[in-house]
Amino acid sequence: MALGIAQTKSLKRASTLLMRCQSTVAMPEHGSTQTKQNTKLFNEMPSPPAWPLIGHLPLLMKEKDRIDKMFETLRDQYGDIYRIYAPGQGNMVALFRPEDIKMLYGSDGKVPLIPGFDMFEYVRKTSMADRYATAGLLNNTKDWYEVRQKVQQDMM
């Protein structure tokens, strides 16, 4: 149940961030990104036609050997920001413009909520507690931020 709540919170947070990204337009003559007044809701984002329950799985499976070309074709048809759905993965948003990606990561806050890290954190804090003092970079807590702060200085 806790995982379901975390996924719901994650989806709400992601949709908020994605709405922010959806609300940007490039201004090439000024070299900047500007926010529109009317943002679109997540469900209003462009998307290829989807099947009930399985979403875009047939499209993804059909093009599995050339997934990069599939995403580029979808970009030509639906623009620089579009959404697709696959069972087990959930809703995914494709972003192509660096300005949108920067805005997404910049809006994430100190501690981003990364799906799947809950499992790593649980394992490292329970059955592997003797080997790991913390969950390191594989968690969604303040520990992640502290490790990142120390490591980021060396990487920059």
Side-chain angles (χ1 to χ4, degrees), residues 26-74:
M27 303 294 287
E29 64 271 12
H30 301 292
S32 65
T33 299
Q34 193 172 19
T35 304
K36 289 183 186 179
Q37 294 295 334
N38 299 324
T39 61
K40 291 183 181 180
L41 296 174
F42 179 78
N43 290 338
E44 294 174 351
M45 292 176 74
S47 176
W51 290 79
L53 298 176
I54 60 171
H56 298 102
L57 188 61
L59 176 66
L60 295 168
M61 294 305 293
K62 182 176 125 184
E63 301 290 336
K64 66 181 177 188
D65 295 330
R66 299 301 309 235
I67 199 104
D68 58 326
K69 298 293 182 191
M70 182 208 64
F71 276 99
E72 193 62 37
T73 302
L74 291 174

Side-chain angles (χ1 to χ4, degrees), residues 17 20-21 24 31-33 95-109:
L17 294 174
R20 289 182 191 164
C21 284
T24 61
S32 65
T33 299
L95 301 173
F96 290 91
R97 295 183 28 237
E99 299 87 9
D100 295 331
I101 295 167
K102 182 179 179 182
M103 181 177 285
L104 177 71
Y105 284 132
S107 302
D108 217 9

